């Protein structure tokens, strides 16, 4: 069991690295999209992280480092999850689709639980589309890197049926 735990830990670390690569791709895409569309920066990630850490949130625009910290920490943490998925056989396009949903749900859970952001049902449809697109880029890059770095060495045959 210790050997399996160590392999999962290594996969999580490689997944975190893949998540950082995915975050870099997502960030580059966001910067390009903002230059084209003129969409302003969001300060919701900074407010979310500051609320989680019980720090003042007024003038969140003054905290660009907090925005980056939230993006990169979230990318690494959810990349670690993807690394565990990859090594245990949860891989490929279906895992990438699920990971996109996980990324979107994670952000929204924290943002809405802290009161830092509004529920997506209140957003203009264009903003939802842009958010889904960027999170998809993150998940595609993270998934490809994670699957390449983590061969499916821990695929279990136990419980091959769902019941």
């Amino acid at each position: 069991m210790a050997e399996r735990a160590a392999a999962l830990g290594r996969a999580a670390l490689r997944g975190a690295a893949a998540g950082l690569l995915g975050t870099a791709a997502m960030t580059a895409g966001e910067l390009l999209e903002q230059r084209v569309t003129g969409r302003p920066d969001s300060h919701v990630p900074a407010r979310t992280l500051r609320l989680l850490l019980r720090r003042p949130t007024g003038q969140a625009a003054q905290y660009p480092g907090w925005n980056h910290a939230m993006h990169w920490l979230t990318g690494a943490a959810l990349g670690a999850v993807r690394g565990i998925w990859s090594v245990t056989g949860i891989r490929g396009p279906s895992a990438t689709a699920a990971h996109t949903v996980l990324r979107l749900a994670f952000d929204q859970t924290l943002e809405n639980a802290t009161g830092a952001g509004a529920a997506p049902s209140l957003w203009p449809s264009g903003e939802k589309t842009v958010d889904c697109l960027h999170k998809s880029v993150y998940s595609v890059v993270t998934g490809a890197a994670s699957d390449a770095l983590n061969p499916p060495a821990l695929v279990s045959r136990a419980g091959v049926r769902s019941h």
Side-chain angles (χ1 to χ4, degrees):
M1 191 62 172
E3 198 171 302
R4 186 173 182 87
L8 289 169
R10 288 188 299 274
L13 287 174
R14 289 190 295 263
L20 293 174
L21 186 62
T23 302
M26 179 179 71
T27 302
E30 287 172 334
L31 291 172
L32 179 62
E33 173 264 320
Q34 286 178 300
R35 285 195 180 112
V36 171
T37 65
R39 183 176 63 84
D41 287 338
S42 168
H43 303 293
V44 173
R47 282 197 308 270
T48 302
L49 183 56
R50 290 180 69 81
L51 283 163
L52 287 168
L53 298 175
R54 293 186 164 87
R55 304 283 305 215
T57 60
Q59 302 298 321
Q62 296 177 3
Y63 307 118
W66 290 85
N67 253 9
H68 282 286
M70 188 65 175
H71 274 296
W72 294 93
L73 289 170
T74 299
L78 296 180
V81 171
R82 187 62 170 85
I84 292 169
W85 289 3
S86 294
V87 80
T88 59
I90 305 169
R91 308 169 60 83
S94 61
T96 296
H99 197 242
T100 302
V101 172
L102 176 64
R103 176 62 201 247
L104 289 161
F106 184 85
D107 287 356
Q108 287 308 307
T109 299
L110 292 182
E111 291 169 9
N112 287 279
T114 60
S121 60
L122 302 174
W123 299 2
S125 63
E127 288 188 28
K128 286 186 253 190
T129 301
V130 167
D131 195 42
C132 288
L133 174 67
H134 291 309
K135 299 308 184 336
S136 295
V137 167
Y138 162 79
S139 293
V140 166
V141 172
T142 299
S146 180
D147 285 353
L149 294 170
N150 293 298
L154 298 180
V155 175
S156 174
R157 299 289 177 212
V160 294
R161 300 188 64 160
S162 63
H163 54 282

